[in-house]
Amino acid sequence: MGLTRDSCGSAVTQVRPCVAATAPIVIALAGNPNTGKSTVFNALTGMNQHTGNWPGKTVTHAQGTFRHRGVAYTLIDLPGTYSLLANSVEEEVARDFIYHACPHATVVVADATCLERNLNLVLQIMELTPRVVLCVNLVDEARRKGIQVDSSRLERELGIPVVLTAARRGEGLDELKEALARVAGGEVASYPSWPVYDPELETGIARLMDHLQPLGESVPRRWLAIRLLEGDSDVHLKLVSAYREKGELARANALDAAGEAAVGWRGDLPADAIRDRLVTAIFRRTEEVAGLAVSQRKPRGIDWDRRLDDILTSRWLGIPIMLILLGVIFWITVSGANYPSELLARALFWGQDRLTDLFTVWGAPAWLHGVLVLGMYRGLAWVVSVMLPPMAIFFPLFTLLEDLGYLPRVAFNLDRYFRRAGAHGKQALTMSMGFGCNAAGVIACRIIDSPRERLIATLTNNLVPCNGRFPFLISLASIFVTGGTAVGLRSMGAAATVVGLVLFGILVTLGVSWLLSRTLLRGIPSSFSLELPPYRPPQIGRILVRSIFDRTLFVLGRAVTVAAPAGAITWILGNTYVGGLSLIQHGAAFLQPLAHLIGLDGVILAAFILALPANEIVMPIILMTYLATGSMIELDSLSALREVLVGHGWTWLTALSAMLFSLLHFPCSTTLLTIKRETHSSRWTLLAALIPTGVALLVCLVVTQTVRLLGLA
């Protein structure tokens, strides 16, 4: 990369040609978390987008398209990251894409309310590529706080185009498209003003750049020299391997020689010490630039964000408010899902009757009708009718809290508890996502940088109930805890009971996390920067799209794929008789001694095992076995359900043990499949099933034997 100096002393960079000049115009979108990067992406691409995983990585990326001046652009949303130092998978993915994919332009989204902190990433990307556009987003929030950003001064200081936007309102988006078009088309000369390091480091950088001369103009030699100086072996090895695979031995040898020169230059100086000097210089430069381009006056009126944070993150009020909100969401979900679930069940079971008529007309054998209709279709109908309405309510409510900016406050409130347990503060967010679906909670563990702490969060996510377990918990709470109260009070009492179970699940999560961090997954808890974004008015359309398509239908699709064969298998087991008993009844008899020890009976324990594909079918399997119907059934009222359960020996202790086992037992097959895909390990997937099951057995055993010892049941 050819370098000269302009009259101001800034580096003038010849824009390196892209590898494939005729390829579609590709724009990389980078930025810190909570800068509105996703809002910018959605505003530019609209519905022309899809998601996937990076090759060989568990990090999700979104890709979309937009048109400007009649030209199509492909926008790649890189993982949110605070730097490119490759301390995490997200940082590695962002760095490697910008370097190896050579996008025509990279837009870096920064938060106007805390620009100085965001400029750290901007300067690092400028060292990697000169094709940069800085998008200073959330200028509407900045104005509200009395912060003013001088875009012209910022352009002069950085040497790159700067655009001010408020993406939620559509402000500045046309200017951003125009800037990207000019940079991608080579219409704008780049004058990136890099950080100037101390003289000793600059001397070392210059020497290594001489060694790297054979690499040619297409390589950012200054950036590469800095990486070699700080001992970034990942960059070195990847490039050497790539050059050797292409047969470019001269380049590979030059890079090896530069690596050896870097080792010799460092001597006994630790790589961490060099990195500290580099980071210090970058921070010094960001402070300088922000001081020149950002001004602040005292905002008019009351700072409501700070007032709200004083309440919502209070040591005394933060947790109670969180629990109240959680209880309200559960209550709305429970109350609101009843009628839609009933309507959906009627429609789906009407379809079952029509299929039965069709099979009768065809003269199909009874076993085929049983497997396909009474087993497979009925199992699907149950899962969809029970699972879809609560998810369609819970996920939008959860996404609403996320869009408002409240979820980072939840993580803040719970961070100290998770750190004391040897886990990561962000586990509070992944745990919260697990309330909707544990599979979604496992996927959310990607936000945790530390592999050790990510595993802890993955292995313990199932210890909070998903919406597939809520109907079971609520029905038992309504019958055995609040059965004698009025209907309205019964709903509130059931919701309060479920909140109590959730609290117990959180305590168990902390305890198991503490145990894992001191045994299988020893390590020191990592620190992390948790930004509290400003409170923002929710975008209802975006909330509905994200919650329904990205979460509800995604999770439901996975559940349906495993529920269909589960329904067929359950019917076969319930209708295959040996010695006058069905295979399910034989299994229940075999499990009876263990079940009795933990306060259950063999039928209940067998139902949990058979419901591995979907927690929603636990109660239908229990009723099918009790009543010997041969197919899953559901009763039309709680009073009828109570009559059947009590008639088969259920007491309040049975209900309590069943609720505790449901709360803590092994994940469903959808979650286990997700864990296998996320960890790429059969060992960790097996442990993810064994650990909660062991906890469930132990808790139920202790509770049951204590109650019996005290003569309370």
Side-chain angles (χ1 to χ4, degrees):
M1 184 179 293
L3 299 176
T4 60
R5 292 281 172 181
D6 66 5
S7 59
C8 298
S10 297
V12 180
T13 306
Q14 297 177 1
V15 176
R16 64 186 176 121
C18 282
V19 176
T22 60
I25 297 179
V26 176
I27 307 295
L29 182 66
N32 291 181
N34 299 319
T35 58
K37 182 166 69 73
S38 296
T39 305
V40 172
F41 176 81
N42 292 328
L44 289 176
T45 61
M47 295 299 294
N48 302 314
Q49 54 184 257
H50 65 271
T51 59
N53 281 352
W54 298 97
K57 307 291 182 184
T58 58
V59 177
T60 303
H61 78 279
Q63 177 176 320
T65 59
F66 67 92
R67 299 187 68 85
H68 183 67
R69 299 186 191 172
V71 178
Y73 294 81
T74 298
L75 187 63
I76 307 295
D77 188 13
L78 301 179
T81 177
Y82 292 98
S83 75
L84 294 183
L85 297 179
N87 289 321
S88 68
V89 178
E90 288 78 6
E91 294 177 3
E92 179 187 346
V93 165
R95 179 202 67 192
D96 287 353
F97 183 84
I98 296 173
Y99 181 86
H100 294 290
C102 187
H104 293 74
T106 298
V107 54
V108 187
V109 181
D111 183 351
T113 65
C114 51
L115 184 60
E116 180 180 330
R117 182 163 65 248
N118 290 188
L119 286 176
N120 171 38
L121 179 64
V122 177
L123 293 177
Q124 290 184 50
I125 292 178
M126 284 166 49
E127 287 183 324
L128 180 55
T129 173
R131 298 174 176 268
V132 180
V133 174
L134 175 57
C135 169
V136 181
N137 193 34
L138 303 177
V139 292
D140 51 340
E141 297 287 344
R143 284 193 294 263
R144 188 166 60 86
K145 294 184 176 183
I147 300 172
Q148 185 173 8
V149 179
D150 186 340
S151 59
S152 299
R153 184 60 184 267
L154 204 53
E155 282 190 351
R156 292 198 301 272
E157 291 297 324
L158 297 177
I160 59 173
V162 176
V163 180
L164 305 182
T165 65
R168 295 170 67 90
R169 300 182 177 182
E171 182 181 334
L173 293 179
D174 290 338
E175 292 84 349
L176 179 59
K177 291 179 181 179
E178 181 64 23
L180 287 172
R182 296 178 64 200
V183 171
E187 301 174 27
V188 176
S190 298
Y191 301 89
S193 179
W194 298 318
V196 177
Y197 303 109
D198 61 68
E200 184 181 12
L201 283 178
E202 287 292 344
T203 300
I205 292 170
R207 289 178 181 175
L208 291 184
M209 288 177 65
D210 291 337
H211 282 284
L212 297 172
Q213 192 73 33
L215 271 60
E217 297 293 329
S218 63
V219 176
R221 290 184 291 118
R222 177 180 173 86
W223 175 83
L224 186 53
I226 294 171
R227 301 286 77 78
L228 294 176
L229 277 182
E230 66 170 349
D232 191 335
S233 59
D234 183 63
V235 170
H236 184 189
L237 293 175
K238 282 183 178 178
L239 282 178
V240 169
S241 177
Y243 286 143
R244 293 194 186 282
E245 287 179 4
K246 296 176 183 178
E248 300 176 356
L249 298 182
R251 285 186 165 191
N253 293 335
L255 190 55
D256 277 336
E260 293 176 3
V263 172
W265 182 89
R266 285 199 306 270
D268 296 331
L269 190 64
D272 288 345
I274 295 177
R275 177 171 289 196
D276 288 343
R277 289 160 64 179
L278 293 169
V279 170
T280 299
I282 291 175
F283 283 157
R284 187 183 302 118
R285 178 59 178 158
T286 61
E287 183 179 4
E288 177 186 350
V289 172
L292 294 170
V294 179
S295 59
Q296 184 169 11
R297 55 177 173 76
K298 187 175 181 179
R300 297 177 181 176
I302 300 172
D303 187 347
W304 288 109
D305 280 9
R306 182 173 293 276
R307 292 287 181 90
L308 284 173
D309 280 341
D310 288 342
I311 299 172
L312 296 179
T313 62
S314 163
R315 180 176 292 271
W316 305 110
L317 296 177
I319 299 294
I321 291 174
M322 180 187 72
L323 294 177
I324 291 172
L325 279 176
L326 187 63
V328 169
I329 288 176
F330 285 154
W331 180 76
I332 294 174
T333 302
V334 170
S335 301
N338 286 333
Y339 188 61
S341 288
E342 183 180 346
L343 289 179
L344 192 56
R346 286 179 183 175
L348 292 173
F349 284 103
W350 177 88
Q352 175 188 294
D353 294 338
R354 303 292 74 76
L355 285 174
T356 297
D357 295 341
L358 188 61
F359 272 66
T360 302
V361 171
W362 286 347
W367 68 265
L368 184 62
H369 171 260
V371 171
L372 296 181
V373 179
L374 300 181
M376 185 175 293
Y377 180 86
R378 181 172 288 192
L380 281 175
W382 232 302
V383 169
V384 172
S385 62
V386 172
M387 194 174 181
L388 181 57
M391 280 200 303
I393 296 172
F394 179 87
F395 277 136
L397 292 175
F398 188 88
T399 309
L400 174 64
L401 294 182
E402 185 179 13
D403 210 46
L404 285 169
Y406 178 67
L407 287 190
R409 275 78 184 176
V410 173
F412 178 86
N413 290 332
L414 296 177
D415 174 51
R416 62 180 178 272
Y417 301 109
F418 280 99
R419 280 192 290 109
R420 288 175 184 173
H424 199 287
K426 288 182 182 178
Q427 189 173 334
L429 295 179
T430 66
M431 181 186 66
S432 299
M433 183 64 75
F435 292 133
C437 173
N438 294 126
V442 169
I443 293 173
C445 293
R446 296 170 179 175
I447 66 175
I448 299 176
D449 297 335
S450 164
R452 181 189 71 85
E453 292 166 337
R454 190 184 311 130
L455 266 176
I456 291 176
T458 298
L459 295 176
T460 59
N461 191 268
N462 194 66
L463 297 174
V464 294
C466 64
N467 61 36
R469 287 178 272 176
F470 285 144
F472 182 84
L473 298 174
I474 291 164
S475 62
L476 293 186
S478 300
I479 291 172
F480 290 95
V481 179
T482 60
T485 60
V487 175
L489 293 176
R490 185 185 302 162
S491 296
M492 295 179 63
T497 302
V498 173
V499 171
L501 289 169
V502 168
L503 274 176
F504 182 70
I506 293 173
L507 292 175
V508 174
T509 299
L510 292 171
V512 175
S513 298
W514 180 87
L515 189 62
L516 287 172
S517 69
R518 283 156 179 80
T519 52
L520 289 176
L521 296 168
R522 290 189 188 92
I524 300 173
S526 62
S527 60
F528 76 104
S529 298
L530 178 63
E531 294 185 28
L532 297 181
Y535 296 96
R536 297 161 182 158
Q539 295 178 299
I540 302 302
R542 179 168 170 260
I543 288 173
L544 292 176
V545 169
R546 286 182 59 202
S547 59
I548 293 176
F549 290 98
D550 292 349
R551 292 175 177 170
T552 303
L553 295 182
F554 171 77
V555 174
L556 184 65
R558 283 194 174 182
V560 163
T561 57
V562 294
I569 292 171
T570 301
W571 187 90
I572 292 171
L573 294 176
N575 289 271
T576 303
Y577 285 82
V578 177
L581 296 176
S582 69
L583 291 180
I584 289 183
Q585 290 170 326
H586 278 290
F590 175 77
L591 294 170
Q592 180 62 31
L594 173 62
H596 179 72
L597 282 175
I598 59 175
L600 306 176
D601 63 28
V603 171
I604 302 170
L605 195 53
F608 276 111
I609 295 173
L610 290 174
L612 172 66
N615 288 295
E616 292 80 4
I617 60 177
V618 170
M619 187 58 76
I621 293 176
I622 291 174
L623 295 175
M624 177 186 79
T625 310
Y626 281 159
L627 302 178
T629 59
S631 60
M632 290 183 288
I633 66 168
E634 188 172 67
L635 303 179
D636 57 2
S637 68
L638 286 176
S639 59
L641 178 59
R642 176 186 173 84
E643 184 177 340
V644 171
L645 297 180
V646 172
H648 284 81
W650 279 56
T651 65
W652 69 268
L653 178 59
T654 312
L656 176 60
S657 297
M659 287 190 288
L660 289 174
F661 194 83
S662 176
L663 174 72
L664 304 173
H665 77 301
F666 48 81
C668 69
S669 55
T670 303
T671 303
L672 289 173
L673 179 63
T674 304
I675 293 172
K676 178 65 169 65
R677 290 177 176 174
E678 294 295 305
T679 63
H680 304 287
S681 168
S682 298
R683 175 198 174 201
W684 292 118
T685 304
L686 179 61
L687 283 174
L690 294 178
I691 290 172
T693 303
V695 171
L697 291 172
L698 179 61
V699 169
C700 289
L701 178 66
V702 170
V703 170
T704 299
Q705 297 306 318
T706 301
V707 170
R708 288 173 180 168
L709 184 63
L710 296 175
L712 300 177

